[in-house]
Amino acid sequence: MSATVSKQIPNEQAWRFLLAGTSNMCGAFVTNPVDVIKIRMQLENELSSKLGKLGVFKDRYYRGFAHGGVVIYRDEGIRGLYKGLAPSMLRDGFYSGFRLGAYEPMKVLFGATDPAHTPLWKKICAGAISGAIGSSIATPTDLVKVRLQAQRQPKPGETPRYPTMRAAFKEILQKEGIRGLYVGIGPTVKRAAILTATQIPAYDHTKHTILNHELMNEGPKLHIVSSMVAGLATAITTSPVDVVKTRIMNQHGTGADKTYTSAFDCLFKTIRSEGPLGLYKGFIPNWLRLGPHTIVTFFIFEQLRHGIGMRPI
């Protein structure tokens, strides 16, 4: 049955953003190792047409999710699995804090007054808009996160491309200017819009469908079940655009030396060189990241809301 509706608390919207950012940062910390494995797998054999469309999946350094984790740990230690943690936490604090914090007010703007009986399309529109705005603000942190996580252990005598988050921001600004921090903003915003239009509405709709049919009561079990559905749905819809985003953000060249001129150029080149399956490289780690990230985020978000007397989603 539906939960009892609490009264609105003072400064509720400010609390919503704060709790959303905190819960997403917890999710980012827990899933950072999976994110590193995912990015390495997405970039492996990039545009290697010589190997053929199936060869790019056979001749690999990271042969699957579990093997990738073992190899990274062997080569780089536990620190290798936590590369990019600082920008990842920063990104989730701002970007994910905004998209989750703004979702409910955005839903109200579309005329959603009854959380238990809001049409799905209003939830999808609210999610897409809040996700797009949040990602456009936080693109620089996402860019630095991707580049730090993509770095393998340097060989003897080599130096890493970016030794720290601060060094990455400094070098990108010096070599590429302020625009360099927004490389890949197109696919990043597209991914965020698709992700948020899937993840939060899937959680919201699954949860209230279960409550409306009186299958479960409001509480942790319901939050976990709804999060699992949302995590799988999100991985399916976002994997192709996530591959495109990762590759554009990680490319080294500037100007005419760029490997990809746009998101669509990356999309077509990937399909031509690696086939449609190339767009689903790293799907398993993507799912294994989004699943736990979604569960941790919504579970903590709902518990924090309950702790301060705020109504559940």
Side-chain angles (χ1 to χ4, degrees):
M1 59 183 68
S2 298
T4 302
V5 178
S6 308
K7 291 183 179 180
Q8 188 169 11
I9 66 170
N11 303 313
E12 183 168 298
Q13 187 51 46
W15 275 109
R16 186 178 284 114
F17 280 116
L18 178 62
L19 300 187
T22 301
S23 58
N24 274 285
M25 288 173 74
C26 292
F29 179 82
V30 170
T31 60
N32 196 83
V34 185
D35 204 20
V36 171
I37 299 168
K38 178 201 73 171
I39 283 176
R40 300 286 181 91
M41 291 180 70
Q42 288 176 337
L43 294 171
E44 192 166 29
N45 291 332
E46 186 176 358
L47 302 185
S48 298
S49 56
K50 293 180 181 179
L51 298 174
K53 290 182 172 59
L54 292 179
V56 294
F57 293 97
K58 293 179 180 178
D59 185 18
R60 296 183 299 173
Y61 189 64
Y62 306 112
R63 298 191 300 275
F65 171 73
H67 181 261
V70 170
V71 170
I72 294 171
Y73 179 77
R74 183 195 65 200
D75 292 349
E76 305 166 45
I78 192 67
R79 293 182 65 180
L81 292 168
Y82 275 91
K83 280 186 174 177
L85 178 62
S88 180
M89 299 275 282
L90 194 61
R91 166 187 177 268
D92 269 283
F94 285 100
Y95 152 62
S96 293
F98 183 90
R99 68 185 182 87
L100 182 54
Y103 169 73
E104 290 166 90
M106 196 69 68
K107 203 167 54 166
V108 172
L109 291 178
F110 280 97
T113 55
D114 180 5
H117 300 94
T118 300
L120 181 58
W121 72 266
K122 292 184 180 182
K123 299 175 183 178
I124 292 173
C125 290
I129 293 171
S130 60
I133 295 172
S135 69
S136 64
I137 296 170
T139 292
T141 59
D142 203 2
L143 176 83
V144 171
K145 176 188 81 74
V146 167
R147 293 193 181 182
L148 285 174
Q149 290 178 336
Q151 294 182 142
R152 294 186 182 183
Q153 181 71 8
K155 296 176 182 178
E158 291 183 345
T159 55
R161 185 181 180 188
Y162 306 113
T164 64
M165 179 179 74
R166 182 180 176 184
F169 275 114
K170 183 178 179 181
E171 183 172 332
I172 292 168
L173 278 170
Q174 287 178 341
K175 291 186 176 180
E176 305 172 45
I178 192 69
R179 292 182 64 182
L181 290 172
Y182 286 87
V183 168
I185 188 172
T188 301
V189 170
K190 292 182 183 73
R191 175 189 178 273
I194 294 170
L195 186 149
T196 313
T198 305
Q199 185 190 48
I200 305 178
Y203 175 85
D204 188 359
H205 209 70
T206 300
K207 178 182 169 182
H208 285 289
T209 298
I210 292 172
L211 285 172
N212 291 342
H213 287 82
E214 299 185 352
L215 300 175
M216 297 178 74
N217 294 324
E218 180 71 48
K221 289 182 180 178
L222 175 62
H223 303 159
I224 292 172
V225 169
S226 302
S227 298
M228 290 173 66
V229 174
L232 176 59
T234 306
I236 292 171
T237 58
T238 62
S239 280
V241 72
D242 195 41
V243 169
V244 171
K245 176 191 79 93
T246 297
R247 292 186 173 190
I248 286 181
M249 284 186 159
N250 190 60
Q251 63 182 339
H252 291 245
T254 58
D257 295 327
K258 283 186 175 181
T259 306
Y260 311 109
T261 57
S262 67
F264 288 108
D265 181 51
C266 179
L267 177 71
F268 295 138
K269 283 181 177 177
T270 300
I271 293 174
R272 186 168 62 244
S273 298
E274 304 165 48
L277 287 177
L279 295 172
Y280 277 88
K281 274 186 173 180
F283 172 77
I284 296 299
N286 190 34
W287 178 24
L288 291 177
R289 175 187 177 272
L290 283 169
H293 191 291
T294 303
I295 293 170
V296 170
T297 295
F298 282 113
F299 181 81
I300 293 178
F301 190 46
E302 294 276 26
Q303 298 309 304
L304 290 175
R305 289 170 72 117
H306 177 74
I308 64 169
M310 187 185 293
R311 294 166 293 183
I313 295 177

